[in-house]
Amino acid sequence: MLPSRGALRPVDPRRVRITGGFWAQRQAVNGTATIQHCRTWLDRLGWTENFATTGTGTVRRRGREFSDSEVYKHVEAMCWESARPGGTNYDAQLAELTERIAKTQAPDGYLHTAFGRPGQPERYSDLNFGHELYCAGHLIQAGVAAARTGRAPGLLDVARRAADHVCTAFAETDAGVCGHPEIETALVELFRVTGEQRYLDQAARFVQRRGHRSLPEHEFGWRYFQDAVPVRDGEVFHGHAVRALYLAAGATDVAVETGDDALLATIVRQFDRTLARRTYITGGMGSRHLDESFGDDFVLPPDRAYSETCAGVATVMLAHRLLLATGDLRYGDIVDRVLHNVIATAVADDGQAFFYANTLHQRTLTEAVPADREQLRFGGGPRAPWFEVSCCLNNVARLVASLGTYLVAEDDRGVQLHQYMPMTVEAAGQTLTVDTDYPAGGAVVVTAERPCTVTVRVPAWAHDTERTRTSDAPARLELPVKPRWTFPDPRVDAVRGCAAVEVGPVVMCVESVDQEDGVTLDDLQVDTSVAPEATAVKGRVIRPVEHDWPFQSRSDTPQGSDPIVVPLVPYHRWARRGPSTMRIWLPVATA
Amino acid sequence: MLPSRGALRPVDPRRVRITGGFWAQRQAVNGTATIQHCRTWLDRLGWTENFATTGTGTVRRRGREFSDSEVYKHVEAMCWESARPGGTNYDAQLAELTERIAKTQAPDGYLHTAFGRPGQPERYSDLNFGHELYCAGHLIQAGVAAARTGRAPGLLDVARRAADHVCTAFAETDAGVCGHPEIETALVELFRVTGEQRYLDQAARFVQRRGHRSLPEHEFGWRYFQDAVPVRDGEVFHGHAVRALYLAAGATDVAVETGDDALLATIVRQFDRTLARRTYITGGMGSRHLDESFGDDFVLPPDRAYSETCAGVATVMLAHRLLLATGDLRYGDIVDRVLHNVIATAVADDGQAFFYANTLHQRTLTEAVPADREQLRFGGGPRAPWFEVSCCLNNVARLVASLGTYLVAEDDRGVQLHQYMPMTVEAAGQTLTVDTDYPAGGAVVVTAERPCTVTVRVPAWAHDTERTRTSDAPARLELPVKPRWTFPDPRVDAVRGCAAVEVGPVVMCVESVDQEDGVTLDDLQVDTSVAPEATAVKGRVIRPVEHDWPFQSRSDTPQGSDPIVVPLVPYHRWARRGPSTMRIWLPVATA
């Protein structure tokens, strides 16, 4: 079941128990409230009911063309949750849904509730937007999770039949690709679980086939569908962010399993350039609302940031693959950043409301969303219980339930620790224990039953000359978790003249509910000559001159107030205390 | 035909002859190449053919639900063009299209080629997006133009029958509104032409009925459809920019004709706040691609500017109405700015390619578009010959053909000159002659056959203490047209630390084709301590440090080059010399 090669070996998440701290709490809420919340909505909207409860019956189908995938991601989340140490058991729900799904599968293995049956469009009649292979991919990922966790008996067989159908239907060179990548990584994972070569071959074929503009032309352009440029010829991720990242994850899997070092190198190059030029300070990716896509290099507007939650999930998936394949710890850094600033931000404390997009600057007061109300608009706004396009909820649920996947790895020398939280890990033939209150504090202590070589990741922000420390357990790492000013590349026009505060991997923000009366966030300036504290910085309030036209022949030097204290909170805590405005990037006082 | 009251009286465009300079050239190209180009495409795509050539036949309808309006705007443009002094005569084409349109009209006056006939959706079954009243509005505007110019005999009758149908169908309080405003201003204009009170009453009813969320909910929200807030309760324009501006034009017309000073005051207040906080330096409006809408206050990103060409047309329409109603010369300023920086920019020199959106910052090389190729994507990219949503082309054509409307006005004292170009004007019972090479130069000389009081607008950028000068003709105005630095309000985050150059009403830009080899626009900094010239400023090139992550603990002070000369061109000249990058706002060198 493991990748056949790579610098590091993954550790089965069932061997990782998060024992306390921030993520243990999040896992507990995810495993109960979020998963149950998702099921309630899947039922309410009829997306589970689309899967026939009898073998022959058909029901009036509800939901968009990708709603099947939500059921599959929900199933995947329940597999991981049921299997994780301390998790909630969903075996009964898994059995019920597995039965429904299996009964809906056509005799030839095809499985999608919106196509191919009487009164529905023909199979594969809309490769741009039909999401048929995308849904098949999520079904396969659910089947793989079932196999890896020993849950949901029978689901792997359904997934195999679906995969067999895909391999047959899309064997021909001109058979096309799906508008939304996902099937690629799913097929490689299924190959790893089953050893069946044809799944790997088909995944490689899909990766190879992309980028030749075989999909019909659309106003969003071929870049949106990842069909404008062959994967090997890309320079940087572009188009729809989630599609780009899923495709890159699949290409990485193909490269690892086929020994295609050139393919791996091109993904590394594209991801590295994306990190250097197209990623928000939060780790969020994708700046455009219109087509949910990456912007051009250095176009990272905080106030119209898209930074979709699903892109965060996809970044973790891709970065982990590249970390295992290359051993480069920068990919651990981005996982750390995304977890603490995108995933942590997206989910309400009760696990039942979510950001779809994660803006970095909220100028007008957020609105409250009723708990029983689906949001039609998914591009912005407050955390909401559900969206018409509701991909992010189940995506977060499966990520958090399987979080143990992303924390540690092994190689021939011993154990690598990539993410820091209180946990026990069964690795290197014994149980290791990690004690830390990271990211609140920087001390990480690893103890072992027997002597054992432990390598730890030193984040880039620690400004250490060495990115790793290797020692025998018990090992102690002391990271300089203290507030620091952070400044943008001068080419990021949108935040020129601004600074942000970070504490370890956590990006801080100012939120209006913390400020004194009369302080408007957009009138704040901060004094970067004074070191920041974790809870506040020094600044002042300017009083802009009001003109009837905002462009003037003199540069206004607005009158500044006496110095004030500007309270900060972690970005992931924002919008939890009623309507508020917020900003991460703060103009630096210059006069 | 005139507004029943107002500070100023409009002058019939048939009494204004533009005799030379920039706009005479543009009018000539518009009157021949652009109008013929539009007809070619309307025929090629079948949008004219949608109007039956026989009374009973039906054809397979082609085009989007608003394609009828393109035919009407084309007709309107031909009326103005045929009637303007020196214009091209399109009487034959007008007769042919009038006959087609008349034959397509239903016996009860209803007229839309996409609804209400066998196999089509029912009339008014999709008020959000059906564009039925929108199209009726453009038909009525075409009929009004026909009446005002004495062209297209019979078209006014068609328009009246359509208007009568609308008045009947939408008389009831709960009958709804159109998702796209346009009918409001059209009905008031028809009232002015015909004296028929029911048209004014119905327009007032539509204005009053808006903003109560009677349209079905949609992911873009009621703000998009201008149905979130009653017109009288608005604080600033919001939602879809063209819809907002058309509605405001209609509300202004209603306010003027019904004596509703409170309604007029609220439109003035909303427009003034929009000018102060939601308008680009070019005069462009609407910053969001997703829903073509206004952004929040001071959200004016140059690199994702939308600034739709149609919003420019609508701004001219609205500003002129408010200028006439209030006499406030600031509304002449914005017309000047939009004409020279939005309308002038949108059209290729040959009059056969167009920007739909007018970005203020192009980071990647523009692509060429084949002259025979419709653009599916309308939200960005180069000037193109046609778009799937092709509203802007005919909109510009009708505006430029009727440009004489917006240049001068009268009141009891004499003549007001609001825009400067070489022209003759029949006003105050005689012929006045204007000589100028504005905006290249600032001298404007007005001569008259007999003594006559002439009032001229002094633009705000002239920094004169008086906004008007009144004197007897011959009169001479000398405007300080020289290059000047312009700085943004400190709350416009997207251009903090930047400056732009303006020359009179013309916004300047840097374009890559003018720069020395190796100069990347996004690495430029300018020295605002040196006065700009019309063709260049002093600056330097920075060499940003390349990091693998764009957010660092130290503020980079990139190494700057020796001082260089940075060539400038008028913004409206950009993208006319092959693929290029461009920016208006230039970072100011600080170190």
Side-chain angles (χ1 to χ4, degrees):
Chain A
M1 289 195 188
L2 296 181
S4 61
R5 64 192 190 108
L8 306 175
R9 293 189 300 270
V11 168
D12 186 328
R14 288 177 297 177
R15 291 159 51 199
V16 179
R17 177 188 288 261
I18 302 171
T19 52
F22 184 92
W23 290 105
Q25 166 69 11
R26 286 296 183 104
Q27 272 199 325
V29 170
N30 182 70
T32 51
T34 299
I35 287 179
Q36 286 166 15
H37 171 85
C38 288
R39 178 61 194 261
T40 300
W41 277 90
L42 290 170
D43 287 349
R44 178 182 299 173
L45 296 172
W47 300 359
T48 40
E49 191 68 20
N50 289 337
F51 292 90
T53 48
T54 70
T56 55
T58 55
V59 292
R60 191 178 69 86
R61 189 185 179 281
R62 294 168 65 189
R64 297 279 293 268
E65 58 276 32
F66 33 73
S67 71
D68 289 4
S69 73
E70 296 309 321
V71 176
Y72 302 144
K73 284 189 287 186
H74 174 66
V75 165
E76 184 188 339
M78 289 194 294
C79 287
W80 296 121
E81 175 62 21
S82 300
R84 80 171 170 87
T88 301
N89 186 299
Y90 285 102
D91 284 344
Q93 290 86 340
L94 285 167
E96 174 224 342
L97 286 177
T98 299
E99 187 186 357
R100 283 192 195 223
I101 293 165
K103 284 184 172 168
T104 311
Q105 191 166 36
D108 66 354
Y110 179 87
L111 180 41
H112 195 291
T113 66
F115 292 87
R117 292 184 291 184
Q120 294 183 329
E122 283 184 28
R123 292 179 182 179
Y124 307 122
S125 54
D126 179 10
L127 286 176
N128 273 1
F129 285 107
H131 285 77
E132 288 164 273
L133 292 173
Y134 169 84
C135 288
H138 277 299
L139 169 62
I140 292 167
Q141 283 193 330
V144 167
R148 287 188 166 146
T149 59
R151 306 282 159 168
L155 191 62
L156 179 64
D157 292 335
V158 176
R160 289 195 69 153
R161 283 195 295 273
D164 290 340
H165 168 79
V166 168
C167 290
T168 303
F170 286 85
E172 299 298 326
T173 311
D174 60 352
V177 294
C178 183
H180 199 315
E182 160 67 24
I183 187 73
E184 298 84 357
T185 190
L187 284 171
V188 182
E189 292 198 66
L190 187 62
F191 158 74
R192 285 176 179 151
V193 163
T194 63
E196 180 67 50
Q197 181 71 26
R198 69 185 303 205
Y199 302 145
L200 175 60
D201 293 344
Q202 184 62 39
R205 225 173 272 136
F206 278 135
V207 169
Q208 192 65 29
R209 202 176 285 169
R210 277 204 174 268
H212 300 283
R213 308 190 176 203
S214 70
L215 288 169
E217 194 172 5
H218 181 268
E219 71 171 87
F220 283 169
W222 283 291
R223 298 171 75 84
Y224 175 86
F225 301 102
Q226 306 297 310
D227 199 26
V229 181
V231 174
R232 288 170 201 276
D233 298 342
E235 294 294 327
V236 62
F237 296 153
H238 57 257
H240 188 277
V242 176
R243 290 167 207 239
L245 293 160
Y246 280 3
L247 176 60
T252 302
D253 290 340
V254 167
V256 166
E257 296 305 334
T258 62
D260 190 338
D261 289 338
L263 181 59
L264 181 61
T266 193
I267 299 299
V268 164
R269 190 178 67 242
Q270 292 177 54
F271 192 45
D272 287 354
R273 177 159 164 168
T274 302
L275 289 172
R277 295 176 173 230
R278 297 189 173 190
T279 306
Y280 282 104
I281 189 173
T282 56
M285 291 190 188
S287 64
R288 294 192 184 181
H289 281 243
L290 175 69
D291 48 8
E292 307 186 304
S293 82
F294 286 99
D296 293 332
D297 285 354
F298 301 115
V299 180
L300 295 166
D303 49 12
R304 285 290 281 172
Y306 199 67
S307 180
E308 185 184 336
T309 300
C310 280
V313 173
T315 301
V316 170
M317 289 169 50
L318 173 61
H320 186 64
R321 281 160 167 76
L322 292 176
L323 176 62
L324 294 177
T326 68
D328 190 332
L329 294 176
R330 291 181 301 122
Y331 304 126
D333 285 8
I334 189 67
V335 169
D336 198 1
R337 190 172 286 274
V338 170
L339 287 178
H340 285 102
N341 300 294
V342 178
I343 306 303
T345 307
V347 186
D349 288 340
D350 69 0
Q352 297 181 67
F354 306 82
F355 281 133
Y356 188 106
N358 295 275
T359 191
L360 278 74
H361 181 183
Q362 177 76 30
R363 286 177 178 262
T364 56
L365 290 178
T366 50
E367 302 161 59
V369 175
D372 61 350
R373 173 112 195 194
E374 181 186 24
Q375 278 295 94
L376 288 179
R377 180 153 201 167
F378 49 88
R383 294 184 186 91
W386 199 259
F387 304 87
E388 189 195 6
V389 178
S390 218
C391 45
C392 298
L393 286 73
N394 289 299
N395 224 352
V396 166
R398 67 180 184 138
L399 177 75
V400 173
S402 64
L403 193 62
T405 306
Y406 302 101
L407 312 181
V408 290
E410 291 177 294
D411 67 8
D412 296 339
R413 293 188 304 169
V415 178
Q416 286 75 29
L417 192 56
H418 291 132
Q419 305 301 331
Y420 304 119
M421 53 193 77
M423 58 182 157
T424 60
V425 182
E426 292 169 39
Q430 61 166 320
T431 300
L432 289 87
T433 302
V434 180
D435 278 317
T436 183
D437 64 350
Y438 183 91
V444 181
V445 177
V446 185
T447 53
E449 295 164 330
R450 296 187 301 279
C452 165
T453 300
V454 175
T455 302
V456 294
R457 173 181 64 90
V458 178
W461 49 258
H463 295 292
D464 210 294
T465 50
E466 295 293 322
R467 290 300 305 278
T468 61
R469 304 258 181 87
T470 301
S471 58
D472 287 346
R476 183 185 171 87
L477 173 68
E478 190 73 49
L479 292 169
V481 173
K482 64 181 184 207
R484 62 187 189 276
W485 288 112
T486 299
F487 301 89
D489 188 290
R491 290 165 292 187
V492 184
D493 283 292
V495 292
R496 175 172 291 108
C498 292
V501 175
E502 296 182 278
V503 184
V506 175
V507 175
M508 307 297 288
C509 71
V510 297
E511 195 177 1
S512 56
V513 292
D514 293 312
Q515 311 306 315
E516 289 184 27
D517 282 354
V519 174
T520 301
L521 293 196
D522 291 334
D523 295 344
L524 276 179
Q525 293 184 338
V526 293
D527 180 357
T528 56
S529 71
V530 181
E533 298 176 25
T535 55
V537 291
K538 283 271 168 68
R540 63 179 190 177
V541 179
I542 59 164
R543 307 284 174 204
V545 184
E546 297 293 344
H547 294 288
D548 60 11
W549 179 248
F551 310 106
Q552 297 288 325
S553 290
R554 282 183 301 276
S555 179
D556 278 342
T557 308
Q559 197 181 346
S561 68
D562 290 338
I564 63 166
V565 172
V566 180
L568 302 175
V569 293
Y571 169 62
H572 67 73
R573 295 301 308 158
W574 94 274
R576 296 178 194 270
R577 294 170 293 169
S580 65
T581 63
M582 176 277 296
R583 60 189 297 165
I584 287 174
W585 289 106
L586 303 166
V588 176
T590 52
Chain B
M1 289 195 188
L2 297 179
S4 61
R5 64 193 189 107
L8 306 175
R9 291 191 302 271
V11 168
D12 187 328
R14 289 177 295 176
R15 290 159 51 199
V16 179
R17 176 189 288 261
I18 303 172
T19 53
F22 185 92
W23 289 105
Q25 166 69 12
R26 287 297 183 103
Q27 271 199 327
V29 170
N30 181 71
T32 52
T34 298
I35 286 180
Q36 285 165 17
H37 171 87
C38 287
R39 178 61 195 260
T40 299
W41 277 90
L42 290 170
D43 287 349
R44 179 182 296 171
L45 297 171
W47 299 0
T48 39
E49 192 68 19
N50 289 337
F51 292 88
T53 48
T54 69
T56 55
T58 55
V59 293
R60 192 177 69 84
R61 190 187 178 281
R62 295 168 65 192
R64 298 277 295 269
E65 58 276 33
F66 33 73
S67 70
D68 289 3
S69 72
E70 297 309 321
V71 177
Y72 302 144
K73 282 190 287 186
H74 175 65
V75 165
E76 184 187 339
M78 289 194 293
C79 287
W80 297 121
E81 175 62 20
S82 300
R84 82 171 168 87
T88 301
N89 186 299
Y90 286 101
D91 284 345
Q93 290 86 340
L94 284 167
E96 175 223 341
L97 286 177
T98 299
E99 187 186 356
R100 282 193 195 222
I101 293 166
K103 283 183 172 169
T104 310
Q105 190 166 36
D108 65 354
Y110 178 86
L111 179 42
H112 195 291
T113 66
F115 291 87
R117 293 183 292 184
Q120 294 183 328
E122 283 184 29
R123 291 178 182 180
Y124 307 121
S125 55
D126 180 9
L127 286 177
N128 273 2
F129 285 108
H131 285 76
E132 290 164 274
L133 291 173
Y134 169 84
C135 289
H138 277 299
L139 170 62
I140 292 166
Q141 283 194 330
V144 167
R148 287 188 166 147
T149 60
R151 305 282 160 168
L155 190 62
L156 179 64
D157 291 337
V158 176
R160 287 195 71 152
R161 284 196 295 274
D164 290 340
H165 169 78
V166 168
C167 290
T168 303
F170 287 84
E172 298 298 325
T173 310
D174 61 352
V177 293
C178 183
H180 200 314
E182 160 65 25
I183 187 72
E184 298 83 356
T185 189
L187 284 171
V188 181
E189 291 196 68
L190 187 61
F191 158 74
R192 286 176 180 153
V193 164
T194 62
E196 179 67 51
Q197 180 72 26
R198 70 185 301 208
Y199 303 144
L200 175 60
D201 293 345
Q202 184 61 39
R205 226 173 268 136
F206 279 135
V207 169
Q208 191 65 30
R209 203 178 281 169
R210 278 205 174 268
H212 299 283
R213 308 190 178 202
S214 71
L215 289 169
E217 193 171 6
H218 181 269
E219 72 171 84
F220 284 169
W222 283 289
R223 298 172 75 84
Y224 175 86
F225 301 101
Q226 306 296 312
D227 198 28
V229 181
V231 174
R232 288 170 200 276
D233 298 343
E235 294 294 328
V236 62
F237 295 153
H238 58 257
H240 188 277
V242 176
R243 289 166 208 241
L245 292 160
Y246 280 2
L247 176 60
T252 301
D253 290 340
V254 167
V256 165
E257 296 305 335
T258 62
D260 190 338
D261 289 338
L263 181 58
L264 181 62
T266 191
I267 299 299
V268 165
R269 190 177 69 241
Q270 292 177 52
F271 192 45
D272 287 355
R273 178 158 164 168
T274 301
L275 290 172
R277 297 177 172 228
R278 297 188 173 191
T279 306
Y280 282 103
I281 188 173
T282 56
M285 293 192 187
S287 64
R288 296 191 183 183
H289 281 244
L290 175 69
D291 48 8
E292 307 185 304
S293 82
F294 286 98
D296 293 332
D297 285 354
F298 302 114
V299 180
L300 295 166
D303 49 12
R304 285 292 280 170
Y306 199 67
S307 182
E308 186 184 336
T309 300
C310 280
V313 174
T315 300
V316 171
M317 289 169 51
L318 173 61
H320 185 64
R321 283 161 166 77
L322 292 176
L323 175 63
L324 294 178
T326 68
D328 190 330
L329 294 177
R330 292 182 301 122
Y331 303 126
D333 285 6
I334 188 69
V335 169
D336 198 1
R337 190 173 285 275
V338 170
L339 288 177
H340 285 103
N341 301 293
V342 179
I343 306 303
T345 306
V347 186
D349 287 341
D350 70 359
Q352 297 182 66
F354 306 83
F355 281 134
Y356 188 107
N358 295 276
T359 191
L360 279 72
H361 181 182
Q362 177 75 30
R363 287 176 178 262
T364 57
L365 290 178
T366 49
E367 301 162 60
V369 175
D372 61 349
R373 173 111 195 197
E374 181 187 26
Q375 279 294 94
L376 288 178
R377 180 152 203 170
F378 50 85
R383 294 185 187 89
W386 198 259
F387 303 88
E388 190 194 5
V389 178
S390 218
C391 45
C392 297
L393 286 74
N394 289 299
N395 225 351
V396 166
R398 68 179 182 137
L399 177 75
V400 174
S402 63
L403 193 62
T405 306
Y406 302 100
L407 311 182
V408 289
E410 293 177 292
D411 68 8
D412 295 339
R413 291 189 304 169
V415 178
Q416 284 78 29
L417 191 56
H418 292 133
Q419 307 301 331
Y420 303 119
M421 52 193 78
M423 58 183 158
T424 59
V425 181
E426 293 169 36
Q430 60 165 320
T431 300
L432 290 87
T433 302
V434 179
D435 279 317
T436 182
D437 64 349
Y438 183 91
V444 182
V445 177
V446 185
T447 52
E449 297 164 328
R450 297 187 302 279
C452 164
T453 301
V454 175
T455 303
V456 294
R457 174 182 63 91
V458 178
W461 51 259
H463 296 294
D464 210 294
T465 49
E466 294 294 321
R467 289 302 304 278
T468 61
R469 304 258 179 86
T470 300
S471 58
D472 286 347
R476 183 184 171 88
L477 173 69
E478 190 72 49
L479 291 169
V481 172
K482 62 180 185 208
R484 63 187 190 276
W485 288 112
T486 299
F487 301 89
D489 188 292
R491 290 165 291 188
V492 184
D493 282 293
V495 291
R496 175 173 291 109
C498 293
V501 175
E502 296 180 277
V503 185
V506 174
V507 176
M508 306 298 289
C509 72
V510 297
E511 196 177 1
S512 56
V513 292
D514 294 312
Q515 312 305 315
E516 288 183 29
D517 282 354
V519 174
T520 302
L521 293 196
D522 292 335
D523 295 344
L524 278 179
Q525 293 184 338
V526 292
D527 180 356
T528 55
S529 71
V530 181
E533 298 175 24
T535 57
V537 292
K538 284 268 168 68
R540 64 180 191 179
V541 179
I542 59 164
R543 307 286 175 203
V545 183
E546 297 293 342
H547 294 288
D548 59 10
W549 179 248
F551 310 106
Q552 298 287 327
S553 291
R554 281 184 303 277
S555 179
D556 278 341
T557 308
Q559 196 180 346
S561 67
D562 291 337
I564 62 167
V565 172
V566 180
L568 302 175
V569 292
Y571 169 63
H572 67 75
R573 294 302 309 158
W574 95 274
R576 296 178 193 269
R577 294 171 294 168
S580 64
T581 63
M582 177 277 296
R583 60 188 297 165
I584 288 174
W585 289 105
L586 304 166
V588 177
T590 52

